[in-house]
Amino acid sequence: MIDVERISLHAQGAVVVGAGGGIGAAAARLLAGRGASVFCVDRDGAAAQQTAASIEARSGTALSAQGDVADQRSLASAFEHAVDRFGQVHIVINCVGVQGPLGRRSHEVGLDEFDAVYAINLRGAFLVGQMALPHMLERQYGRIAHVASIAGKEGNPNMIGYSTTKAGLIGMVKAQGKEYAEDGITINALAPAVIRTAFLDTQPAEVVKYMTDRIPMKRPGSVEEVAEMLAWMVSPGCSFTTGFTFDLSGGRATY
Ligand SMILES: NC(=O)c1ccc[n+]([C@@H]2O[C@H](COP(=O)([O-])OP(=O)(O)OC[C@H]3O[C@@H](n4cnc5c(N)ncnc54)[C@H](O)[C@@H]3O)[C@@H](O)[C@H]2O)c1
């Protein structure tokens, strides 16, 4: 018999950062569908609000706030708001990521451009942990999931800021998983290959073909497939895995 309690998120408080679009919006909707109250945070406050409204329209519970992971104060204020409204935050999913400069080798990338990607993808992820961990430590329960990328595992050329910071994120999760392993808190990452989002629709057909040809399933993933994996990673049932980077690559990364 299936123990639905292990996958249900009923009566749990969740914060989804980067919930304004793409993977974050899909994750927020699925968590709400599984019973969580979801606090949607995004740099684009109106987009976060739209995701929350779409959840409420389906009788879910959601709130939203503007919050920028590159700005400690704005992120802290969003988290305080979530704790204030939900009481306990059991789940934090960080979906924020920017690609930064593309199509240039490392020597052609400006330090300011590199720093801008670092501030969001890696420093921002560290800050998300800093907001969530003291709260979860007090309650000796928490599930944190960060969305990394296969670029962090394989090192995609000509996107140095992205590849480097996503690899850093995977390293951070490995270390933090061990740090909090005895506190009822799991911290994991997810490394998707290319996922069909609005961004992919703007790419030339040959670029999309190049990316999907490397995937044994010969297609991009969907945001719903990413959300399914994230919902499992933050469920009570996912209790003996921490510091790990889950794969979501249609068979491309078998390690
Ligand atoms: N789409 C893909 O093919 C793919 C593949 C692998 C990994 N990823 C990763 O998945 C995550 C989500 O990707 P997506 O395709 O849904 O992206 P997206 O651009 O559609 O959504 C990202 C969201 O993050 C928000 N955001 C950006 N900077 C922010 C900041 N500083 N503070 C708060 N919010 C901010 C954006 O407003 C947006 O709503 C990213 O980390 C990305 O690197 C995506």
Side-chain angles (χ1 to χ4, degrees):
M1 197 164 78
I2 297 171
D3 182 357
V4 287
E5 287 305 308
R6 304 283 288 164
I7 53 168
S8 165
L9 305 176
H10 177 67
Q12 301 215 3
V15 173
V16 179
V17 192
I23 290 168
R29 283 195 276 268
L30 185 61
L31 296 195
R34 299 247 163 111
S37 299
V38 183
F39 199 90
C40 301
V41 180
D42 202 284
R43 179 169 65 181
D44 180 344
Q49 208 273 327
Q50 237 174 28
T51 303
S54 74
I55 290 171
E56 297 252 284
R58 294 189 219 173
S59 308
T61 304
L63 294 164
S64 70
Q66 194 274 341
D68 184 341
V69 300
D71 175 356
Q72 187 172 7
R73 229 184 264 172
S74 110
L75 195 61
S77 145
F79 265 84
E80 277 160 25
H81 193 173
V83 171
D84 188 46
R85 297 300 297 270
F86 292 165
Q88 181 167 357
V89 171
H90 305 76
I91 296 166
V92 171
I93 299 182
N94 170 29
C95 297
V96 174
V98 292
Q99 290 187 314
L102 300 176
R104 283 182 269 151
R105 292 195 287 166
S106 295
H107 70 281
E108 298 162 323
V109 171
L111 193 54
D112 54 336
E113 293 178 299
F114 186 87
D115 284 346
V117 181
Y118 162 75
I120 293 174
N121 290 6
L122 187 50
R123 185 176 177 276
F126 176 72
L127 262 184
V128 168
Q130 291 228 308
M131 301 300 156
L133 285 164
H135 175 84
M136 291 177 171
L137 268 175
E138 259 177 47
R139 289 153 185 85
Q140 291 287 291
Y141 183 84
R143 295 276 186 271
I144 301 177
H146 294 277
V147 181
S149 168
I150 195 165
K153 285 169 82 172
E154 299 203 343
N156 288 2
N158 304 323
M159 46 194 311
I160 194 64
Y162 190 75
S163 296
T164 306
T165 53
K166 292 295 190 181
L169 179 53
I170 291 168
M172 184 192 86
V173 159
K174 286 181 184 175
Q176 288 187 341
K178 295 185 184 95
E179 285 179 5
Y180 300 96
E182 292 180 273
D183 294 299
I185 303 169
T186 67
I187 302 154
N188 292 297
L190 177 62
V194 66
I195 303 301
R196 182 160 289 289
T197 58
F199 168 76
L200 197 64
D201 296 335
T202 66
Q203 298 301 299
E206 60 273 20
V207 173
V208 177
K209 184 175 182 317
Y210 171 78
M211 291 192 279
T212 49
D213 273 354
R214 299 166 76 196
I215 296 175
M217 289 188 189
K218 295 283 183 275
R219 66 170 178 88
S222 69
V223 292
E224 289 78 17
E225 287 172 316
V226 186
E228 283 289 347
M229 181 70 96
L230 287 167
W232 160 247
M233 289 165 63
V234 299
S235 70
C238 188
S239 49
F240 198 49
T241 304
T242 193
F244 186 62
T245 296
F246 286 76
D247 172 63
L248 198 89
S249 66
R252 178 173 155 190
T254 52
Y255 59 93

